[in-house]
Amino acid sequence: MTRSISITRRLIVTVLVLELLSAIALIGAITVRERHVQLKAFDASLLATAESLMGAVQDAEDEGDTVMLDMRGVQVAKNAIYRVEDERGRVLGSMGDAPSWERPSSPSPLFRNVDVRGRAYRFVVLARLRIVDPGKSNGGVGHSITIVYGTPLSHMWHEVLEATRFFAIATAILLGLTAAVMAWWVRKGLSPVYELAREAERVSSSDWHFNTPLKAKETVELRPLADALEATLARLQRSFEQQRQFTSDAAHELKTDVAIVKSSLQLLSMRKRSVEEYSQGLALSLDDFTRLEMAVQKMLTLARLETPIQRDGSGGTVLYCSLRDVIEDAVNQTNRMAELKAIVVNVEVTADARVPIDSHDALLLCSNILLNALRHSPPESTVRITLTTDEDTARLTVQDQGEGISEEDRERVFEPFYRADPSRSRKSGSSGLGLSICKAICERAGGSIQIANGPEGGALVIVNLPAELILSRSTFSASLKEQ
Amino acid sequence: MRVLLIEDEQRLADNIVAALREAGLAVDHGIDGEEGSHLAEQGIYDVVVLDLMLPGKSGQHVLRDLRRKKLHTPVLILTAQEGKESVINLLNAGADDYLSKPFDLGELLARIKALIRRAKGVSTPVIAVSDLELDTVRQTVRRHGQFLDLSPTEYRILEYLIHRPRAVVSQQELLEHLYDFDWEHHSNVIEAHISNLRRKLNRAGTEPLIETLRHRGYRLREDGAAAL
């Protein structure tokens, strides 16, 4: 199964997770601070009530110096618990079960958290000296009053929770909004990608036109992709068109050859003929058929040579051959044609070289070049073949004394089925594939082939091949003169 | 009838020329576009068979130039190229028929004959003028139901005349349309053939079918004679 990864989703999720994390941290901080603030306010209110309780301690207006709690004007919170004692431990007033603590020695209030009947309470313990009737002559009587006052903490927690909830809801709404805006924004931001994809999808083998959308061109991140697409498509189109051209030319070539064979046989069967006529006709038909066969063979050879070598081991080992031997063979093979035109073939080989081509293909290369030179040579002229070697390259040149080659044809002669001189066309016996095959052989071996005009006119074919120098046998030089 | 074949592939041209000659046609061969175009523009051919991929001058150009010169010779295109579009373009450019390689030699012959017929205003392979009947497929001639034994040249002269009834055909025209350049010919040859032909066509009690108009030529009579 293939995993599908969405950049949009990833972006949105990343941003939302970051937002959520910061929101949680923020809410945490807010909660801590809120609790602190609320606790302070709580304590202040506890203390204020405790103080007012203190103020409610009045002279009992009796014989002794007893005091009493006058609760008038004192507001006590709901569920509050309190106890007011004097120095003798007498309870002046109370509500609920206030826990008792040791009387604190300092006058500053003490705060304590205690559970009372399962509820969390916070108490303040206030111990003060209360002067009752300070207006009296004796300056009043001091009473040490202890006040324990507490209210449930739940109220404060409620406040803290409320505040937290408010922030949580606000954050959630913000997150939702951000997600929606982000989704829209990211999608919009990615629209050049979709445009590019749509444009690329439109391309087909019949319509190679690829127009990089302007937006994709303007997007820095997309530019390399768009450029790569454009370049790849252009390359593909070129090779596709070459293939198409080759197929169409090959079809044309084959159809013509088939038409010849067919017409030869049909002509023969148009009426009854003599045995002599039949045997003559059959011989001609066989020639025609051989031509068709050779054309097919050359096309197949070219197709085989143009298939890239498998470098990953399975393609087998690269075969080597001696270029000198091959040149000798090629000269022998083309002997008859040279003889017919009374052309002298001069071979100057100063050293031998091993080239990474199997001997069959190498012979094809050399004989094709040589045949081409012979074909374009005037009668009784000379064709000169040289082989020179460098450290790691072998250089084969074939020079004829023909009419040379025009600048325009220099590249095109290597195109399949291209015939430099149209008036020669098929009559010269060339298939139009010879030099294409040569080029394929050279390029397959990592070498190159060029055609130019020699210093004294005539075409000069130069082949460069990667080679290993063979240091053996004495220098070989031969001149074959045929009459 | 005289055919011009413009085809650069020598072996194919040899075969077509041989087949057409065996079918009783005079054939000239142009080996490339230039030569073919030059020959075609002489206006002496009854049909032109044109290959498209030609050195020198492409088949399309040969056709275009022929039509520009206001020559209405029927043109049959031979091509190994693919595609309906080129067929349409060629027909629109003035071609009359089309055959793609590899073709059937018999079909080529039939199409050439049909083109010749059509160009001369005849629609069937059997042409009748009064009581004379000429079958262009079997190459037989009957007069009044009787088969006549004609030599190939006599047949060809009669075939040409019967395609143009009542028209005056000069010796020059006959020479141009019955012989190709490979033939040794003289005008008195025609005269001899005509007189033989007239003798063979002759039926007692009727006027001769072929009239001789002094210094002008020959004419095949369509009416009259047979009615007597």
Side-chain angles (χ1 to χ4, degrees):
Chain A
M1 231 179 77
T2 54
R3 273 179 62 202
S4 104
I5 295 165
S6 158
I7 294 182
T8 315
R9 212 178 309 147
R10 272 191 172 181
L11 267 175
I12 293 176
V13 166
T14 308
V15 171
L16 287 186
V17 164
L18 284 177
E19 265 188 18
L20 193 67
L21 284 178
S22 14
I24 287 169
L26 192 67
I27 289 171
I30 285 170
T31 309
V32 168
R33 191 188 132 72
E34 189 65 22
R35 182 182 163 276
H36 182 70
V37 169
Q38 289 287 344
L39 205 58
K40 262 199 163 165
F42 193 82
D43 286 356
S45 120
L46 273 184
L47 194 60
T49 313
E51 295 278 10
S52 64
L53 277 174
M54 185 66 83
V57 175
Q58 302 286 333
D59 187 11
E61 305 287 344
D62 60 358
E63 296 308 309
D65 288 331
T66 53
V67 283
M68 57 162 287
L69 202 60
D70 180 6
M71 287 302 283
R72 282 173 305 175
V74 180
Q75 280 280 322
V76 183
K78 217 174 123 197
N79 294 328
I81 294 174
Y82 68 88
R83 189 173 69 237
V84 183
E85 287 177 341
D86 66 3
E87 67 276 11
R88 284 170 300 210
R90 203 164 56 86
V91 176
L92 300 179
S94 74
M95 186 184 277
D97 288 341
S100 43
W101 286 280
E102 248 176 67
R103 182 189 160 83
S105 48
S106 77
S108 58
L110 272 177
F111 292 96
R112 293 255 159 80
N113 289 340
V114 176
D115 278 3
V116 178
R117 272 181 253 121
R119 285 183 81 177
Y121 273 73
R122 188 169 173 87
F123 288 93
V124 61
V125 184
L126 194 66
R128 290 250 178 93
L129 189 67
R130 168 77 178 152
I131 311 291
V132 181
D133 293 339
K136 279 200 177 165
S137 54
N138 58 358
V141 186
H143 291 278
S144 256
I145 305 294
T146 309
I147 294 173
V148 178
Y149 176 76
T151 52
L153 265 173
S154 61
H155 178 67
M156 185 207 76
W157 282 123
H158 180 73
E159 289 292 318
V160 173
L161 230 86
E162 275 297 304
T164 309
R165 199 162 67 189
F166 170 75
F167 281 111
I169 289 170
T171 307
I173 291 171
L174 267 177
L175 275 177
L177 274 174
T178 321
V181 171
M182 277 266 298
W184 176 76
W185 195 257
V186 168
R187 212 169 283 277
K188 192 173 150 65
L190 284 178
S191 71
V193 177
Y194 298 121
E195 268 182 46
L196 193 64
R198 258 201 306 280
E199 182 66 23
E201 202 178 351
R202 233 179 28 75
V203 175
S204 71
S205 61
S206 53
D207 180 12
W208 287 97
H209 187 71
F210 179 75
N211 224 346
T212 312
L214 194 65
K215 267 200 204 159
K217 257 187 205 158
E218 284 168 348
T219 312
V220 178
E221 288 84 353
L222 280 182
R223 216 173 290 147
L225 178 63
D227 289 348
L229 259 174
E230 251 178 67
T232 308
L233 278 173
R235 253 196 325 273
L236 273 176
Q237 182 181 6
R238 231 181 354 264
S239 82
F240 200 85
E241 251 146 38
Q242 272 170 6
Q243 283 295 321
R244 183 144 49 189
Q245 185 62 44
F246 179 82
T247 313
S248 141
D249 289 346
H252 183 269
E253 220 55 24
L254 288 176
K255 279 184 190 171
T256 308
D257 284 331
V258 171
I260 295 171
V261 174
K262 195 172 168 183
S263 65
S264 296
L265 293 172
Q266 282 182 336
L267 175 66
L268 208 57
S269 61
M270 263 177 83
R271 58 176 173 80
K272 278 239 179 289
R273 291 168 197 278
S274 68
V275 174
E276 213 166 77
E277 279 176 324
Y278 275 127
S279 69
Q280 209 171 29
L282 280 178
L284 275 176
S285 301
L286 197 61
D287 281 352
D288 296 336
F289 197 82
T290 309
R291 208 137 55 109
L292 169 64
E293 191 188 352
M294 273 170 64
V296 172
Q297 208 159 34
K298 280 187 179 168
M299 283 175 204
L300 292 179
T301 302
L302 187 60
R304 171 178 66 82
L305 290 169
E306 280 183 344
T307 322
I309 303 174
Q310 300 286 312
R311 295 277 180 205
D312 49 296
S314 60
T317 51
V318 180
L319 293 165
Y320 286 84
C321 71
S322 147
L323 207 48
R324 175 178 28 198
D325 296 349
V326 168
I327 292 169
E328 266 181 73
D329 288 349
V331 170
N332 289 332
Q333 217 179 47
T334 54
N335 220 344
R336 229 170 65 92
M337 182 158 171
E339 251 178 76
L340 275 172
K341 292 179 87 171
I343 294 169
V344 180
V345 179
N346 267 322
V347 184
E348 293 162 30
V349 176
T350 54
D352 196 6
R354 253 160 55 88
V355 290
I357 307 175
D358 90 76
S359 58
H360 180 260
D361 288 349
L363 181 59
L364 203 59
L365 170 69
C366 294
S367 60
N368 272 348
I369 297 172
L370 193 51
L371 274 176
N372 193 58
L374 291 173
R375 206 173 284 138
H376 290 91
S377 290
E380 293 175 23
S381 61
T382 307
V383 170
R384 188 163 159 257
I385 304 173
T386 67
L387 174 63
T388 49
T389 47
D390 202 328
E391 256 172 47
D392 51 2
T393 50
R395 186 182 173 93
L396 170 73
T397 68
V398 178
Q399 164 85 61
D400 64 42
Q401 294 176 332
E403 67 278 19
I405 184 160
S406 77
E407 200 56 37
E408 181 204 4
D409 287 338
R410 280 186 56 187
E411 277 306 310
R412 301 203 63 194
V413 284
F414 296 108
E415 286 174 18
F417 304 111
Y418 183 77
R419 293 186 180 94
D421 181 1
S423 68
R424 270 172 203 273
S425 69
R426 300 170 56 101
K427 283 180 287 173
S428 58
S430 102
S431 63
L433 285 178
L435 287 177
S436 303
I437 289 174
C438 291
K439 190 176 185 218
I441 293 172
C442 290
E443 285 181 351
R444 196 177 163 88
S448 68
I449 182 167
Q450 286 158 22
I451 188 160
N453 285 313
E456 295 143 33
L460 172 66
V461 176
I462 303 161
V463 174
N464 283 309
L465 291 170
E468 288 169 25
L469 195 60
I470 301 176
L471 296 165
S472 65
R473 295 188 277 179
S474 58
T475 315
F476 161 83
S477 181
S479 174
L480 292 162
K481 171 136 184 143
E482 308 293 344
Q483 210 43 284
Chain B
M1 302 295 162
R2 190 166 176 181
V3 179
L4 172 64
L5 170 68
I6 309 177
E7 164 68 64
D8 65 318
E9 175 55 53
Q10 188 66 53
R11 281 289 302 136
L12 188 59
D14 289 348
N15 287 338
I16 296 173
V17 168
L20 294 182
R21 287 200 175 137
E22 288 200 2
L25 295 161
V27 191
D28 288 316
H29 174 214
I31 193 75
D32 60 38
E34 301 284 356
E35 189 189 342
S37 196
H38 176 73
L39 285 171
E41 284 164 18
Q42 313 254 312
I44 53 172
Y45 294 98
D46 298 295
V47 71
V48 174
V49 179
L50 179 62
D51 181 29
L52 277 192
M53 294 269 272
L54 289 170
K57 186 173 178 181
S58 79
Q60 283 95 337
H61 286 139
V62 173
L63 177 64
R64 191 196 59 198
D65 291 352
L66 188 70
R67 294 300 183 232
R68 272 190 191 162
K69 295 230 157 117
K70 303 271 180 254
L71 286 165
H72 305 300
T73 318
V75 174
L76 188 150
I77 302 283
L78 283 185
T79 180
Q81 271 173 348
E82 288 286 349
K84 278 276 168 280
E85 211 171 310
S86 66
V87 180
I88 293 167
N89 288 340
L90 283 166
L91 293 174
N92 284 339
D96 297 86
D97 203 354
Y98 170 95
L99 210 50
S100 63
K101 291 180 190 172
F103 50 85
D104 194 280
L105 215 47
E107 186 181 352
L108 177 66
L109 265 172
R111 282 181 188 270
I112 287 172
K113 286 189 171 173
L115 280 177
I116 293 172
R117 274 204 312 271
R118 281 285 170 199
K120 305 201 182 299
V122 179
S123 59
T124 55
V126 180
I127 309 164
V129 170
S130 62
D131 62 347
L132 184 69
E133 215 178 75
L134 184 131
D135 185 334
T136 55
V137 174
R138 295 197 185 81
Q139 303 201 353
T140 55
V141 179
R142 288 195 297 180
R143 181 142 197 222
H144 211 70
Q146 293 278 307
F147 280 102
L148 302 179
D149 183 23
L150 302 184
S151 78
T153 312
E154 286 157 10
Y155 169 80
R156 279 149 44 126
I157 292 171
L158 184 61
E159 187 189 39
Y160 192 82
L161 290 175
I162 209 166
H163 274 102
R164 313 196 55 193
R166 278 172 300 172
V168 178
V169 179
S170 68
Q171 270 196 14
Q172 181 62 29
E173 187 177 343
L174 276 177
L175 276 174
E176 279 175 355
H177 286 266
L178 299 184
Y179 297 99
D180 50 52
F181 290 128
D182 291 359
W183 228 294
E184 285 287 327
H185 52 260
H186 307 284
S187 56
N188 57 353
V189 174
I190 291 280
E191 270 172 47
H193 284 302
I194 290 270
S195 90
N196 283 341
L197 183 59
R198 199 186 272 132
R199 188 171 43 76
K200 287 184 183 175
L201 284 176
N202 192 33
R203 254 179 82 211
T206 62
E207 281 183 47
L209 265 179
I210 298 170
E211 290 178 290
T212 305
L213 300 137
R214 192 163 290 277
H215 301 306
R216 288 171 65 198
Y218 308 98
R219 178 162 65 182
L220 190 72
R221 281 157 52 116
E222 198 182 20
D223 52 354
L228 285 170

